[in-house]
Amino acid sequence: MEMDEEQIDSYQADILVVDDTPDNLRLLIRILQKNSYKVRPVTNGFSAIDAIQSSAPDLILLDIMMPDFDGYELCKKLKSQPQFMDIPIIFISALEEGIDKAKAFEVGGADYITKPFQVKEVLARVSNQLTVRLLQMQLQQKNQKLTDQNVLLQQEITERRQVEMETRLLLEATQAISKSENFESAIDVILGLICQTIEWNLGEAWIPNSEGVLRCATGRYVSDSSFAQFRKTSWQLTFSPGVGLPGRIWQSQHSEWIEDVSHAPEEVFLRSEIAVNVGLKAAFGVPILAESQVLAILIFYREKVLECQPRLLELVSAVATQLGSLIQRKQAEAALKLQQEQTEKLLLNILPKPIAERLQKEQKLIAEHFDEVTVLFADLVGFTEFSTHKSPTQLVEILNGIFSEFDRLSELHGLEKIKTIGDAYMVVGGLPTPRADHAEAIALLALEMQAAIRRFNIKIGESFELRLGIHSGSVVAGIIGISKFSYDLWGDTVNVASRMESNGLPGKIQVTAPTYERLKEQFVFEERGQIPVKGKGTMLTYWLIEEQTIALL
């Protein structure tokens, strides 16, 4: 439930009291109502479930000993359901009955009260849990707002990247045409430029000849040799006005889209059979016009079935418009240089500033504090010396291969890669979306990264080793940057994790005591002992060895 500050200040907390003893119920109702709480009493677990499902309370006072099933069981049931798991539960127990405090907290209890009731104690514990509950609600609301803002920002970034791609294509197309020697070479360049930018497989141009039919131009783009057979048939065909996809576009002077040429009837697409053989599916075409005259028809194909994309048609039509205008000026050999300069100036006027600068001007500060995350640093031992014997291209290819696999593993475990620095790799679990198993996920990633580097060594015949360090704690995370956005972390947790890596050993995964405590039941460790850590004195650390194996009975 989302509330503003005024609603929060005036909100009357709803408390469900579950106790099978009437005297206890009456006493708790009197205490709580006297302090302006809304109280709903029930006498057993089944009634409690019905009341909670009808309207979730802000707090539950739950007797442990009840006739149907005890309070522990009811608490455990509620905590297993996402819609009720955040409701705080205070257990109630008589002194002579006793209360298993460890079990109470293990099943999800937030606090406990013993009978006979002390009014001040009851009110203090109730007030404390309601305050925590209220703060949680406020934090959830703020987190949701930040999430919504991030979604909007991502949409804006995506849109701006799209605009940048479109503008870049227009600019590059104009520049490529201006450098072309003739019409045919210009067509060849533009087909390749468009196909590579929009990621389509084949592009060809059809040009009207003196006989009043369309013939395929020599210029073309083919992404794969498997489409060569389709391309060969183009040389053998001509299209009259209104016949086939090129002929219809020639006659109408409008763009046209076919979602799947393999299923198009012959009167719509003449080469369906050959398209099926080579795997081509979607197709579209746009005319190149100059003063209502068709100079050429550009046709593009892709090996996927795709619905019509009006924005893509508009983009390619814009390129075709530029192409028609510039080609006409080339053919006329009139004021070519002036027209090129004017076109380039026009494009530069509509070209946006670098994305980083635009976002920096418009973006508000985004920063969040996370109480529970686990940070991993990994360093590729020996890579600096290795780099002295390899070319820059070889180094980049090797690092890209290794870090790409690390990226895949990080994504597989739902972890957030923060950055790479040279041959070092940094990743974190538990943000930007908090998760309870952040330490476990990081530990699994660390073990899989070691396995990955061993596989990579076998593949390329090298002997790289990883030195890894892990620490768990709180951090501040946010977006910073002037020339570009960078999502980064700050805090002692980051520094300690880095120290764990730098003070570790090749082929080893060193973790701190806080991380060890979170993982000692699921993983096998070896105590390293106390080691000196810069800025921290001595610290107890452990080697992470492997995941615990569960014996099958």
Side-chain angles (χ1 to χ4, degrees):
M1 177 176 62
E2 188 170 345
M3 298 185 293
D4 56 31
E5 294 184 4
E6 184 176 345
Q7 289 174 316
I8 290 174
D9 292 338
S10 62
Y11 181 66
Q12 183 182 25
D14 178 14
I15 302 176
L16 181 68
V17 181
V18 188
D19 197 319
D20 64 336
T21 305
D23 289 342
N24 290 338
L25 278 179
R26 284 192 292 271
L27 177 57
L28 287 172
I29 291 171
R30 186 166 59 251
I31 293 173
L32 296 172
Q33 286 183 339
K34 188 177 180 180
N35 284 268
S36 301
Y37 294 119
K38 177 183 176 181
V39 183
R40 287 188 284 157
V42 295
T43 58
N44 58 69
F46 292 113
S47 298
I49 291 175
D50 291 340
I52 294 168
Q53 290 177 337
S54 174
S55 177
D58 297 304
L59 176 66
I60 300 174
L61 298 183
L62 179 59
D63 189 17
I64 293 177
M65 304 300 295
M66 291 189 295
D68 40 18
F69 50 87
D70 63 29
Y72 297 135
E73 187 176 352
L74 176 57
C75 179
K76 190 174 181 180
K77 184 184 295 291
L78 293 175
K79 293 301 179 181
S80 68
Q81 303 181 46
Q83 67 270 38
F84 303 134
M85 63 185 303
D86 291 332
I87 301 175
I89 297 176
I90 299 178
F91 282 110
I92 303 171
S93 175
L95 285 173
E96 61 271 14
E97 296 170 352
I99 182 170
D100 188 339
K101 298 177 183 178
K103 185 174 182 180
F105 290 115
E106 181 182 340
V107 298
D111 207 344
Y112 62 89
I113 301 173
T114 55
K115 307 172 189 176
F117 300 124
Q118 300 295 321
V119 175
K120 290 185 177 180
E121 180 188 7
V122 171
L123 293 176
R125 293 183 183 274
V126 167
S127 175
N128 179 60
Q129 292 303 320
L130 287 174
T131 299
V132 172
R133 172 72 166 158
L134 183 60
L135 291 173
Q136 288 176 336
M137 291 170 60
Q138 292 173 326
L139 180 59
Q140 289 172 355
Q141 292 178 21
K142 292 178 180 178
N143 286 341
Q144 185 59 49
K145 289 180 181 178
L146 287 172
T147 299
D148 293 342
Q149 291 174 357
N150 286 339
V151 169
L152 291 175
L153 175 61
Q154 187 59 47
Q155 291 174 346
E156 184 180 353
I157 292 174
T158 301
E159 177 65 23
R160 290 181 177 185
R161 285 175 177 169
Q162 178 69 20
V163 171
E164 182 187 16
M165 181 273 288
E166 294 171 355
T167 306
R168 186 178 67 250
L169 176 58
L170 288 171
L171 178 60
E172 290 177 355
T174 303
Q175 293 174 335
I177 294 165
S178 68
K179 297 176 182 178
S180 300
E181 295 294 330
N182 51 50
F183 181 85
E184 293 287 339
S185 63
I187 288 290
D188 192 45
V189 170
I190 290 304
L191 288 173
L193 183 60
I194 293 176
C195 283
Q196 292 173 35
T197 301
I198 67 176
E199 298 181 344
W200 281 55
N201 301 102
L202 189 152
E204 56 187 21
W206 295 82
I207 302 173
N209 65 10
S210 58
E211 299 173 0
V213 294
L214 293 171
R215 285 194 174 276
C216 191
T218 56
R220 85 284 181 271
Y221 171 82
V222 178
S223 65
D224 191 284
S225 59
S226 61
F227 304 118
Q229 183 182 1
F230 184 88
R231 171 65 182 169
K232 287 179 181 179
T233 64
S234 300
W235 293 102
Q236 304 168 9
L237 297 175
T238 61
F239 290 99
S240 301
V243 178
L245 180 59
R248 288 196 304 277
I249 297 174
W250 185 18
Q251 186 177 65
S252 68
Q253 298 190 0
H254 290 98
S255 301
E256 185 173 335
W257 187 288
I258 301 177
E259 294 183 7
D260 187 353
V261 298
S262 64
H263 292 149
E266 187 173 354
E267 61 269 19
V268 174
F269 192 81
L270 298 179
R271 294 182 283 170
S272 298
E273 183 177 348
I274 186 67
V276 171
N277 292 337
V278 301
L280 293 174
K281 299 291 186 180
F284 76 91
V286 299
I288 298 176
L289 299 172
E291 297 180 357
S292 299
Q293 178 185 358
V294 176
L295 300 180
I297 311 294
L298 302 183
I299 307 291
F300 301 91
Y301 304 89
R302 188 168 182 179
E303 53 184 347
K304 290 183 180 179
V305 177
L306 292 173
E307 294 182 356
C308 181
Q309 299 177 5
R311 185 163 181 169
L312 180 56
L313 285 176
E314 292 176 3
L315 173 61
V316 178
S317 294
V319 175
T321 299
Q322 296 294 333
L323 182 59
S325 176
L326 290 174
I327 287 177
Q328 185 185 45
R329 291 185 176 92
K330 276 181 173 290
Q331 292 176 330
E333 296 181 355
L336 175 60
K337 183 176 180 180
L338 177 62
Q339 293 299 331
Q340 289 176 337
E341 292 176 350
Q342 289 177 344
T343 303
E344 290 181 5
K345 183 177 181 180
L346 173 62
L347 291 175
L348 288 174
N349 285 337
I350 65 173
L351 185 67
K353 295 181 179 180
I355 288 179
E357 292 182 0
R358 288 184 292 143
L359 294 176
Q360 190 275 333
K361 289 182 179 180
E362 298 173 11
Q363 180 60 47
K364 296 180 180 179
L365 177 66
I366 294 178
E368 298 175 274
H369 180 271
F370 295 89
D371 291 326
E372 280 287 328
V373 303
T374 298
V375 180
L376 176 148
F377 279 89
D379 185 69
L380 199 56
V381 179
F383 192 81
T384 300
E385 181 180 355
F386 170 82
S387 65
T388 61
H389 307 294
K390 299 292 180 180
S391 69
T393 300
Q394 290 175 315
L395 292 178
V396 171
E397 287 179 349
I398 291 173
L399 270 183
N400 182 64
I402 295 173
F403 286 168
S404 293
E405 177 63 10
F406 291 172
D407 289 347
R408 187 188 69 81
L409 293 173
S410 298
E411 183 177 355
L412 182 66
H413 289 284
L415 301 170
E416 187 71 24
K417 172 190 173 181
I418 301 302
K419 57 188 172 183
T420 59
I421 307 172
D423 54 8
Y425 191 88
M426 177 183 179
V427 63
V428 62
L431 61 79
T433 302
R435 53 186 288 186
D437 63 341
H438 53 86
E440 180 181 355
I442 285 290
L444 290 172
L445 173 65
L447 293 171
E448 291 179 14
M449 288 171 70
Q450 285 187 319
I453 204 66
R454 288 193 292 269
R455 291 193 301 270
F456 196 82
N457 283 334
I458 295 174
K459 180 179 178 181
I460 67 171
E462 294 293 340
S463 56
F464 294 125
E465 289 186 292
L466 284 179
R467 187 173 59 234
L468 299 103
I470 303 174
H471 179 52
S472 303
S474 63
V475 297
V476 171
I479 296 178
I480 61 170
I482 296 176
S483 62
K484 64 179 179 179
F485 272 135
S486 174
Y487 191 68
D488 212 341
L489 310 180
W490 302 269
D492 189 60
T493 299
V494 178
N495 296 333
V496 172
S498 177
R499 295 285 185 266
M500 288 301 99
E501 178 273 311
S502 60
N503 287 278
L505 295 176
K508 294 281 192 177
I509 306 170
Q510 184 167 229
V511 308
T512 59
T515 303
Y516 166 78
E517 291 297 329
R518 290 169 171 84
L519 299 175
K520 61 185 179 182
E521 302 300 329
Q522 302 107 307
F523 293 84
V524 177
F525 290 89
E526 176 186 323
E527 182 176 328
R528 183 185 187 185
Q530 299 283 347
I531 65 168
V533 178
K534 182 179 179 181
K536 304 296 293 184
T538 59
M539 293 184 68
L540 176 61
T541 67
Y542 298 81
W543 300 122
L544 171 61
I545 306 301
E546 62 184 358
E547 188 177 10
Q548 289 275 19
T549 56
I550 301 176
L552 298 177
L553 298 179

